[in-house]
Amino acid sequence: MKKNINGSSVAFLFCAAVSLCGAVFAEPADTSSAGVERYAIYIGSNSGGKNNARLLYAGTDAMSFQKTMSEIGGVPESNSILLLDPTKDNVDDALSAVSNAIVQGKSVSRRTEFIFYYSGHSDENALLLGKSSYEYSQLKESISNVPSDVHVVILDSCYSGNFIRTKGGQRKKPFLVDDSTVVKGHAYLSSSSALESSQESDEIGSSFFTNAMLTGLRGAADTSGDNKVSLNELYSYAFNDTLARTESSSAGPQHPNYNITLVGSGDLILSDISASESALMIPEEMTGKIIIRDSFGKLISEINKTEKNPVYFALSAGTYTAVLITETDTMQGNFILKKNQLLKLDRSYFNSVVARTEHRLRGDETVNEAENFAENEENDRALEPSGLSETPVPLEIKPFHFMFAGENGSNVQSIISIGLIRANDCIVNGAQVSLFSGNISSVLNGIQASGIGLDAGVINGVQAAGIYTSADIVNGAQVSGIFNSSGTVNGIQGTGIYNSADLLFGVQGSGIFNTVKDGYGIQATGIFNSARTMNGIQAAGLFNISGTIRGVQAGSIVNVAKKVTGVQVGLINVADENNGIALGLINIIRNGVHDAGIMVDTNGNIFTQIQSGTNHLFTTAVYGSSPRYFFSSSGDDYYHFFALGLGTRFNCHKFSFDIEALFYNTLCKDVIDIGDEIHDIINKYEDDGKSFSDDASKEDKDMVENLAEQFHKYTYPSLRFSVSYNLLSHFSLFATAGVDIRIEDWNDEAFDYGKRNMYIDFTAGSKDVTLYPSFGFGVKIR
């Protein structure tokens, strides 16, 4: 049976695509109102060019800074941009994006604040961004052009004090502000002076300065005891901590610098400890150095507690190790912090003695060069953060705990727990087994297994259930036949149908559906993925949905993300913001390329096209023909041109320039006939209930293979250059110059259809090559 192309259907799809672009990218009305709105750019650049050693922790420092400011610094993820190993153009694009966002939100924000954080290489004159650089004077001008009321710039790099001195900047006594005042100005903080190197450490897995800043933001810098960290508190803490850690290093002491010029009154608050999902309270009677590491051994903070006041420290829910160092002894212990919990970290948690090593001291002089540039009132007792409650649990020790029908064991600590219908314990250090369901309110260190449902506070081993599992924290593996739900997953979570986790560091795999709030590893499923933030790889058989992607999002059909810094690969890609690459047939990117156009070329053909993707890389789909065949497929000489290709775009004010590589297919009567012949041969076997691949004769298989090879004769590559002028915000005029390529004995038949008014012949090797230039003019809806 002959197959014909319905041109009117193609035209309808094109019009529908144009309407869809207009609907998707229409600006929504924003009726919300806000007080202070914060925006931020976080940059981590491990590469400083060929003459500089590659850093190890600049990227992770930037990610940690973003995480901290998102949790307790009032910077929502939607208002932040993370750049890893960027170029100068990437930084300029990010500054432009933030400026546009601030302008759009001015009407609903009483005041805007912009935070610029950089960790990486620099010299006396510029930030070193791999093969490019960003001069301090130009960077300061670019940041000043961001239309926010307050600019806070934090540079963690060598010689970054030169940024403060650029254009005559001098140290000034800060005049800080709180949320209730109208303020304008800037605050520049650098990790080192104009002549010093900034240092990072393998021991802490970070730079000294950034680690001090993060520790201070989480509460160590709160000298006033109001559960908030101000700019002056943070700088004073970071100065002392950085200097103390580096004064005996081989690179020499490191002195952070500042330049603060703000008009207003009060304190500029940078973090609010009470906004954390959970927190520690270090009691007033405990003094010394407290070192906190997470379940992977990564240093979170070193808190030097000297004053007789409690200290509140913001932390995410999880399992931690703490070391307490005093003048007389060193103690170690573990603790588990739950969501919405305020945990009192007293001496009862430090139950292991650590042997101390004696060293010869080089002196006991105390160095404190930080200027006391703001006075803090001393409080007898700090304020307790609201929303967090201290929950001590009295325990009953039962090595073997047997229960029937859900006996209450919420205050029991056991090694082996068995329940015929339901097992219920506070802490299990061995294994819990139950026929229908099991519950552990606090900790499981071994194995928990149940026929239907499981629930546990913290799991360090394996949790498995036939239908349902649930845990606040999983460090090992969680497995279920149908459903998993967990607060934090550091290991592997797998199920037959559904997974759900608030935070994922490792691998999450499911037969049908995955969902995760934050993810750093790999999320894979048979059909559907959903994640708020993914820093690794998100892959699905059909659908991916994520708030933020900082890696790869791959789905065979649809990818949906709010913000992408990486790659989207799928048939359809959708994103509010994509600063990387989108590879798909249809890419709907709000801040990217989304053009639908129509044009006429000098060969007398009409073409419609859709371009979608990002400026870095977009896809182009083209359909065209002679006007007399555009809406029909009659006669022996009809033809249609279809093309798919990739392009890149450069924007310059109202002009944009596209460079595209296209691959055309000429659809004509001969191509349809080839397809029908292949179809008839295959159908001959299928009509008899046989398989062509298994039962076909060698003659028929060779014939199908020879027919299939003829398709390439009707294809040809093409290169195209376009320039567009944005006449209106969503309407452009554009002109194109293209060249189609014919190679002798490879694609001659493709050029038997349509007119070619210009050509250039030459020989390449043993083949004759013909170039067919053409020009076009058209309009676009953007």
Side-chain angles (χ1 to χ4, degrees):
M1 183 179 67
K2 302 288 184 183
K3 298 179 180 64
N4 294 323
I5 301 294
N6 189 338
S8 59
S9 298
V10 176
F12 171 79
L13 291 174
F14 172 73
C15 294
V18 173
S19 301
L20 177 63
C21 288
V24 170
F25 294 100
E27 292 296 332
D30 188 356
T31 58
S32 64
S33 60
V36 175
E37 190 78 5
R38 280 185 171 172
Y39 301 82
I41 295 175
Y42 310 94
I43 301 173
S45 183
N46 286 318
S47 175
K50 62 181 181 179
N51 295 324
N52 293 288
R54 184 171 180 83
L55 300 175
L56 299 178
Y57 307 113
T60 54
D61 280 350
M63 295 170 65
S64 298
F65 212 97
Q66 182 194 34
K67 183 176 186 293
T68 301
M69 294 304 293
S70 174
E71 291 177 356
I72 56 176
V75 185
E77 289 187 358
S78 58
N79 288 0
S80 65
I81 296 176
L82 175 68
L83 300 177
L84 301 179
D85 288 327
T87 64
K88 178 181 179 296
D89 290 340
N90 296 147
V91 177
D92 285 335
D93 290 343
L95 290 168
S96 177
V98 168
S99 297
N100 292 334
I102 291 175
V103 171
Q104 293 176 7
K106 276 286 188 182
S107 59
V108 295
S109 300
R110 179 161 47 85
R111 189 174 84 238
T112 57
E113 298 174 355
F114 172 54
I115 298 172
F116 183 93
Y117 169 87
Y118 173 80
S119 177
H121 281 286
S122 67
D123 58 18
E124 294 87 343
N125 303 308
L127 303 184
L128 303 179
L129 304 170
K131 296 180 180 180
S132 61
S133 62
Y134 210 135
E135 292 187 1
Y136 290 136
S137 58
Q138 187 179 358
L139 176 62
K140 182 177 289 187
E141 181 180 357
S142 298
I143 293 175
S144 299
N145 289 334
V146 175
S148 63
D149 299 303
V150 176
H151 299 86
V152 178
V153 180
I154 301 169
L155 302 182
D156 187 356
S157 58
C158 297
Y159 312 110
S160 52
N162 284 285
F163 177 85
I164 291 175
R165 298 178 58 183
T166 302
K167 292 189 176 180
Q170 299 294 329
R171 286 185 171 188
K172 297 184 180 180
K173 189 178 181 66
F175 203 35
L176 304 176
V177 302
D178 62 17
D179 186 49
S180 64
T181 61
V182 177
V183 61
K184 290 183 181 295
H186 69 255
Y188 300 150
L189 305 182
S190 68
S191 62
S192 59
S193 71
L195 301 176
E196 293 175 345
S197 299
S198 293
Q199 304 166 50
E200 62 177 19
S201 167
D202 291 330
E203 181 181 1
I204 65 175
S206 174
S207 78
F208 291 112
F209 179 70
T210 291
N211 184 260
M213 295 283 283
L214 296 177
T215 300
L217 285 167
R218 290 195 174 275
D222 177 25
T223 56
S224 65
D226 61 355
N227 293 317
K228 294 179 174 62
V229 176
S230 65
L231 181 63
N232 66 330
E233 286 177 324
L234 181 62
Y235 171 74
S236 181
Y237 178 87
F239 181 97
N240 288 312
D241 190 75
T242 303
L243 181 60
R245 286 169 174 262
T246 60
E247 58 187 349
S248 60
S249 70
S250 59
Q254 184 178 325
H255 300 76
N257 275 4
Y258 73 93
N259 176 324
I260 304 176
T261 306
L262 297 173
V263 179
S265 61
D267 279 348
L268 178 64
I269 303 301
L270 287 183
S271 66
D272 184 354
I273 303 162
S274 61
S276 176
E277 68 172 11
S278 51
L280 294 179
M281 190 272 278
I282 303 173
E284 56 188 35
E285 65 270 12
M286 184 184 295
T287 59
K289 177 183 287 187
I290 298 131
I291 302 172
I292 300 174
R293 297 181 182 272
D294 64 14
S295 58
F296 297 102
K298 177 177 172 56
L299 178 69
I300 301 299
S301 66
E302 289 189 14
I303 304 171
N304 291 297
K305 188 174 180 300
T306 56
E307 298 186 11
K308 300 291 185 178
N309 288 324
V311 171
Y312 292 92
F313 193 79
L315 274 180
S316 302
T319 304
Y320 297 91
T321 299
V323 175
L324 172 63
I325 303 174
T326 67
E327 293 180 355
T328 58
D329 56 13
T330 299
M331 305 291 291
Q332 180 175 307
N334 301 313
F335 65 90
I336 298 163
L337 189 61
K338 297 181 180 179
K339 209 169 191 177
N340 300 322
Q341 181 186 15
L342 175 62
L343 178 66
K344 182 179 180 181
L345 188 67
D346 56 26
R347 275 188 168 267
S348 65
Y349 286 90
F350 299 91
N351 48 24
S352 299
V353 178
V354 179
R356 306 182 70 162
T357 303
E358 297 295 333
H359 294 281
R360 184 185 302 110
L361 301 180
R362 293 185 176 182
D364 58 358
E365 295 182 2
T366 302
V367 180
N368 184 356
E369 300 182 17
E371 298 184 17
N372 185 15
F373 52 78
E375 296 181 358
N376 296 317
E377 294 184 0
E378 293 186 1
N379 297 325
D380 293 335
R381 186 172 181 84
L383 301 175
E384 182 174 307
S386 60
L388 304 178
S389 59
E390 191 174 342
T391 55
V393 180
L395 294 178
E396 179 183 356
I397 307 299
K398 291 183 178 181
F400 181 84
H401 188 204
F402 177 81
M403 286 159 288
F404 176 77
E407 173 191 338
N408 184 18
S410 60
N411 65 337
V412 175
Q413 177 176 340
S414 63
I415 297 175
I416 301 294
S417 172
I418 298 177
L420 291 183
I421 296 179
R422 177 175 174 82
N424 186 15
D425 297 88
C426 178
I427 298 175
V428 174
N429 295 317
Q432 184 191 62
V433 180
S434 180
L435 180 61
F436 291 105
S437 67
N439 176 69
I440 297 173
S441 60
S442 192
V443 182
L444 171 70
N445 293 317
I447 298 174
Q448 186 182 38
S450 177
I452 294 182
L454 291 173
D455 186 16
V458 176
I459 299 172
N460 295 318
V462 177
Q463 185 186 47
I467 295 180
Y468 173 84
T469 60
S470 176
D472 287 338
I473 299 171
V474 177
N475 293 319
Q478 183 176 256
V479 181
S480 178
I482 294 182
F483 179 85
N484 279 326
S485 177
S486 180
T488 302
V489 179
N490 296 324
I492 298 174
Q493 183 180 353
T495 187
I497 295 182
Y498 178 83
N499 279 323
S500 176
D502 286 338
L503 187 64
L504 173 70
F505 293 131
V507 177
Q508 182 176 257
S510 179
I512 294 183
F513 181 83
N514 280 327
T515 181
V516 64
K517 184 177 179 181
D518 295 289
Y520 302 138
I522 297 174
Q523 182 179 252
T525 188
I527 294 183
F528 184 83
N529 277 327
S530 175
R532 181 177 174 184
T533 302
M534 179 59 63
N535 294 320
I537 298 175
Q538 186 186 42
L542 294 179
F543 296 99
N544 283 320
I545 296 179
S546 180
T548 301
I549 289 289
R550 299 191 188 97
V552 178
Q553 185 185 47
S556 60
I557 295 183
V558 179
N559 291 316
V560 179
K562 186 173 183 180
K563 184 177 179 181
V564 179
T565 306
V567 180
Q568 275 184 308
V569 182
L571 183 64
I572 301 173
N573 297 309
V574 180
D576 281 352
E577 179 181 344
N578 188 323
N579 297 313
I581 293 174
L583 291 175
L585 181 62
I586 299 175
N587 302 295
I588 305 174
I589 313 297
R590 184 179 291 273
N591 74 326
V593 176
H594 36 81
D595 302 349
I598 186 169
M599 77 167 194
V600 178
D601 73 355
T602 52
N603 292 324
N605 297 310
I606 299 176
F607 289 91
T608 60
Q609 64 180 38
I610 295 177
Q611 297 168 302
S612 60
T614 68
N615 289 324
H616 300 296
L617 186 69
F618 61 83
T619 60
T620 301
V622 178
Y623 162 72
S625 186
S626 168
R628 61 175 173 161
Y629 299 130
F630 196 82
F631 295 105
S632 67
S633 302
S634 60
D636 292 337
D637 59 345
Y638 76 88
Y639 62 89
H640 301 277
F641 297 124
F642 293 94
L644 291 176
L646 298 175
T648 186
R649 173 168 295 179
F650 305 91
N651 294 302
C652 181
H653 302 295
K654 286 194 172 185
F655 289 92
S656 61
F657 304 90
D658 296 347
I659 300 175
E660 297 165 283
L662 303 170
F663 202 79
Y664 278 88
N665 177 267
T666 303
L667 185 59
C668 57
K669 182 179 181 299
D670 290 339
V671 172
I672 296 297
D673 290 342
I674 292 172
D676 285 342
E677 287 186 56
I678 294 175
H679 183 264
D680 291 342
I681 295 173
I682 294 176
N683 272 1
K684 180 176 64 176
Y685 290 90
E686 293 182 350
D687 291 343
D688 294 336
K690 298 179 180 180
S691 169
F692 175 80
S693 59
D694 295 333
D695 303 321
S697 65
K698 185 178 184 303
E699 180 182 359
D700 285 342
K701 287 185 177 180
D702 290 342
M703 184 176 295
V704 168
E705 184 177 347
N706 291 333
L707 287 170
E709 288 180 355
Q710 295 181 33
F711 279 118
H712 71 76
K713 297 180 179 180
Y714 297 89
T715 62
Y716 59 91
S718 180
L719 299 176
R720 187 170 72 168
F721 174 78
S722 305
V723 57
S724 300
Y725 176 73
N726 301 328
L727 191 64
L728 300 172
S729 58
H730 295 289
F731 184 81
S732 301
L733 303 177
F734 73 97
T736 67
V739 57
D740 301 333
I741 304 172
R742 182 191 69 85
I743 302 174
E744 181 187 11
D745 297 331
W746 183 69
N747 60 353
D748 299 308
E749 284 82 350
F751 294 90
D752 291 340
Y753 298 86
K755 294 191 302 181
R756 301 293 197 283
N757 294 321
M758 294 179 284
Y759 64 90
I760 302 172
D761 287 327
F762 63 94
T763 300
S766 60
K767 297 288 186 181
D768 290 334
V769 177
T770 304
L771 304 181
Y772 294 96
S774 63
F775 302 91
F777 179 80
V779 295
K780 289 182 184 179
I781 298 175
R782 315 194 69 170

